[in-house]
C-alpha cells in the first residue's frame, strides 16, 4: 500500500472509534484495528499523542450490558469469512425456547449486526426456509464448508432491519407500536 497520511481529526476519529471494537477482542477485526492504531501512534509526535489522550479522556463509552466476545473470537472470525466468501455453514444453536442445542445445516450467513451491545448473525436457514436472526452468544459451534451459496440479490442488512422491532424482523406489513 502507498503511504497513508491522516489529519489530526482523522487520527482522533480512529482513536475514539477503537473503543467500539473492544467487544470483538481477539477477532481479526480487533487485532487489525490495534495494529493499525499502533502504526498511527508511531507516526504521530508527542504533542499530537498528548492531545489525543486528552481528547479521549473527555469521551466515555458506557457499556451497559457489554458482552465480552473474546471467547468467541474464532467463531466470529469464521462467520465473517463465511459471510464474505458466501460459504455454506453448519451452526449449533441454543435458542431460548429449546432445552438442548440444535444443529442447523445449510445456513447462509448474510451479516453480523451489533444491537444493544450484543452481536447477532442474520442468515438464511434452509431448515426453517427463511432468514433468521441468531444471537452469537447462543452459537456454540460453526463449521464453514467449501461450498458457496448464491449471493442474495436484494439482501441489505440495513433495509432488512428498517421496520424491525429492535433486532427482530417480522412477517407482513409494518405495525405502529406505542
Amino acid at each position: 500500500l502507498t503511504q497513508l497520511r491522516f489529519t489530526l481529526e482523522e487520527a482522533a476519529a480512529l482513536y475514539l472509534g477503537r473503543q467500539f471494537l473492544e467487544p470483538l477482542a481477539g477477532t481479526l477485526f480487533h487485532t487489525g484495528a490495534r495494529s493499525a492504531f499502533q502504526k498511527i501512534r508511531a507516526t504521530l509526535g508527542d504533542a499530537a499523542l498528548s492531545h489525543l489522550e486528552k481528547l479521549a479522556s473527555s469521551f466515555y463509552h458506557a457499556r451497559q450490558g457489554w458482552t465480552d466476545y473474546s471467547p468467541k473470537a474464532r467463531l466470529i472470525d469464521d462467520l465473517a469469512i463465511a459471510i464474505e466468501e458466501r460459504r455454506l455453514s453448519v451452526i449449533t444453536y441454543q435458542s431460548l425456547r429449546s432445552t438442548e442445542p440444535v444443529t442447523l445445516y445449510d445456513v447462509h450467513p448474510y451479516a453480523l449486526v451489533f444491537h444493544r451491545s450484543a452481536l447477532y448473525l442474520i442468515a438464511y436457514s434452509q431448515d426453517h426456509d427463511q432468514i433468521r436472526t441468531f444471537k452469537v452468544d447462543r452459537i456454540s459451534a460453526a463449521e464453514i464448508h467449501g461450498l458457496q451459496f448464491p449471493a442474495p440479490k436484494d439482501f441489505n442488512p440495513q433495509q432488512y432491519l428498517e421496520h424491525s422491532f429492535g433486532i427482530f424482523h417480522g412477517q407482513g406489513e409494518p405495525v405502529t407500536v406505542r
Side-chain angles (χ1 to χ4, degrees):
L1 293 175
T2 59
Q3 187 176 4
L4 297 175
R5 297 196 186 277
F6 294 100
T7 65
L8 186 56
E9 292 80 12
E10 291 168 337
L14 293 172
Y15 189 88
L16 294 173
R18 72 186 175 145
Q19 65 186 329
F20 295 103
L21 288 174
E22 286 305 314
L24 297 176
T27 66
L28 296 172
F29 305 110
H30 186 265
T31 304
R34 286 188 69 200
S35 174
F37 185 71
Q38 288 171 348
K39 291 175 184 177
I40 291 170
R41 282 184 66 103
T43 62
L44 296 175
D46 290 339
L49 283 175
S50 176
H51 177 72
L52 287 180
E53 291 294 333
K54 193 174 182 182
L55 180 64
S57 69
S58 65
F59 284 87
Y60 175 70
H61 177 216
R63 295 181 181 161
Q64 246 177 347
W66 184 74
T67 303
D68 177 10
Y69 283 102
S70 58
K72 294 203 176 268
R74 177 64 187 198
L75 176 94
I76 293 167
D77 288 343
D78 287 345
L79 291 173
I81 290 168
I83 291 166
E84 181 183 7
E85 297 180 359
R86 298 184 327 273
R87 298 287 179 191
L88 209 57
S89 305
V90 175
I91 64 171
T92 303
Y93 188 73
Q94 174 74 49
S95 75
L96 277 177
R97 289 175 266 186
S98 64
T99 57
E100 296 292 323
V102 175
T103 300
L104 301 170
Y105 297 90
D106 296 335
V107 172
H108 302 186
Y110 290 166
L112 288 168
V113 176
F114 262 115
H115 177 71
R116 293 192 171 202
S117 301
L119 189 60
Y120 295 85
L121 171 69
I122 298 176
Y124 172 78
S125 168
Q126 195 161 356
D127 291 338
H128 298 97
D129 194 27
Q130 64 181 350
I131 296 175
R132 302 289 289 251
T133 302
F134 302 97
K135 192 170 187 179
V136 170
D137 303 55
R138 296 190 197 120
I139 300 173
S140 58
E143 184 180 331
I144 311 307
H145 290 272
L147 297 172
Q148 286 187 300
F149 59 86
K153 292 181 177 75
D154 58 350
F155 183 80
N156 176 306
Q158 185 176 358
Q159 289 174 348
Y160 177 76
L161 294 170
E162 184 175 43
H163 296 293
S164 296
F165 191 73
I167 191 72
F168 301 102
H169 183 78
Q171 305 298 326
E173 294 297 313
V175 177
T176 301
V177 178
R178 291 185 190 183

